Amino acid sequence: MSQAPPLRRNAHRQCLRLSGIDWRTYSRLLFALAEQPGVHLAYDRGELEIMSPLLEHDDDGRFLGDLVFVLTEELGLPLKRGGSATLRRRMKQRGIEADECFWIANAHRMAGRRRLDLRTDPPPDLAIEIDVTSSSLDRMGIYAALRVPEVWRLEGNTLSFHVLGQDGKYVSVAHSQAFPQIAPADLASFLLEGRKAGDENVVMRDFREWIRHRRGTGGSPAIKS
């Protein structure tokens, strides 16, 4: 009888790590937990992390996702929302579920797609990760292996943007690749307001007005902090 894989817990949030897990078992767990939207899985070459985010974690991810939606709408950009869709490649032996993900430049390539297959479909143009430092896996390494062009990371009150370089590693950047006119501090200020607000719609309306004001009357985005 085989020995059970070692088990480790992460004290920062509800998180379970299992070692010695093969791809087939990982795939079965994905199927078994498909009806549990609050549970996220990450897989890295035999290491499996099962995470149940806290309410504050979900709130921040959803709010940043709403900011992305408003940005694309106000800037006239296409958008296909992926939510926490599972991104995985068996050949890479890696898989992950972002807090939020989006196709923007490649939104047209996802038209009509109901199932994601990274062997033929493009990876999301943007993924959002909340409190990534509490994970016991190299989540950024998983995104890099899956060739996700940009990841936004929120750690506490600090938001940072990371773009995948030609060397296959992420580099921190001053402005978003998907939205070159946007800096992390621009969004972080609205996120903090959203946490305190009794009505998030008020913050979203303020954000829309901020975008329009910063763009000016010429219609050419010129947002820079």
Side-chain angles (χ1 to χ4, degrees), residues 157-176:
N157 295 332
T158 303
L159 180 66
S160 56
F161 296 166
H162 304 263
V163 171
L164 190 63
Q166 293 183 351
D167 62 355
K169 298 179 181 180
Y170 285 103
V171 58
S172 179
V173 293
H175 291 83
S176 169

Side-chain angles (χ1 to χ4, degrees), residues 3-216:
Q3 186 179 3
L7 177 65
R8 287 174 290 223
R9 293 184 182 273
N10 190 309
H12 296 284
R13 51 181 172 173
Q14 298 176 21
C15 177
L16 194 67
R17 178 166 170 170
L18 300 169
S19 298
I21 304 299
D22 60 24
W23 186 263
R24 185 178 182 183
T25 302
Y26 165 55
S27 299
R28 286 178 172 177
L29 284 170
L30 281 173
F31 179 79
L33 297 173
E35 302 302 320
Q36 301 292 328
V39 177
H40 294 178
L41 273 64
Y43 183 80
D44 188 355
R45 296 162 294 180
E47 298 293 314
L48 176 67
E49 185 176 75
I50 305 174
M51 185 176 299
S52 180
L54 302 176
L55 176 61
E56 61 195 49
H57 179 113
D58 279 346
D59 278 353
D60 286 344
R62 177 189 47 76
F63 191 87
L64 285 172
D66 288 345
L67 293 181
V68 170
F69 173 79
V70 172
L71 275 168
T72 56
E73 191 175 50
E74 290 295 326
L75 298 177
L77 298 174
L79 178 69
K80 176 71 173 180
R81 302 183 77 151
S84 57
T86 300
L87 316 174
R88 62 176 183 150
R89 284 292 308 275
R90 181 171 186 171
M91 186 177 68
K92 301 289 187 180
Q93 288 289 297
R94 291 176 174 89
I96 199 165
E97 297 170 12
D99 291 296
E100 298 283 341
C101 69
F102 311 87
W103 286 266
I104 302 168
N106 285 301
H108 65 285
R109 295 180 59 186
M110 296 301 294
R113 299 290 292 149
R114 302 294 292 175
R115 291 181 178 272
L116 177 64
D117 186 346
L118 291 182
R119 292 174 297 179
T120 54
D121 296 325
D125 296 296
L126 172 63
I128 294 176
E129 276 285 310
I130 308 298
D131 195 24
V132 69
T133 55
S134 70
S135 173
S136 60
L137 294 183
D138 179 10
R139 298 177 71 88
M140 296 299 284
I142 298 174
Y143 282 114
L146 298 175
R147 307 301 298 173
V148 175
E150 182 173 3
V151 178
W152 291 0
R153 294 173 54 173
L154 179 68
E155 299 172 21
N157 295 332
T158 303
L159 180 66
S160 56
F161 296 166
H162 304 263
V163 171
L164 190 63
Q166 293 183 351
D167 62 355
K169 298 179 181 180
Y170 285 103
V171 58
S172 179
V173 293
H175 291 83
S176 169
Q177 179 172 280
F179 308 102
Q181 60 275 66
I182 298 295
D186 296 330
L187 302 188
S189 61
F190 285 99
L191 174 63
L192 294 177
E193 287 300 316
R195 287 175 177 174
K196 297 183 294 183
D199 183 356
E200 292 180 2
N201 285 332
V202 173
V203 182
M204 287 299 164
R205 285 194 290 269
D206 289 344
F207 184 56
R208 286 183 184 275
E209 289 301 317
W210 178 83
I211 297 171
R212 294 169 184 174
H213 175 74
R214 297 293 292 272
R215 288 184 68 190

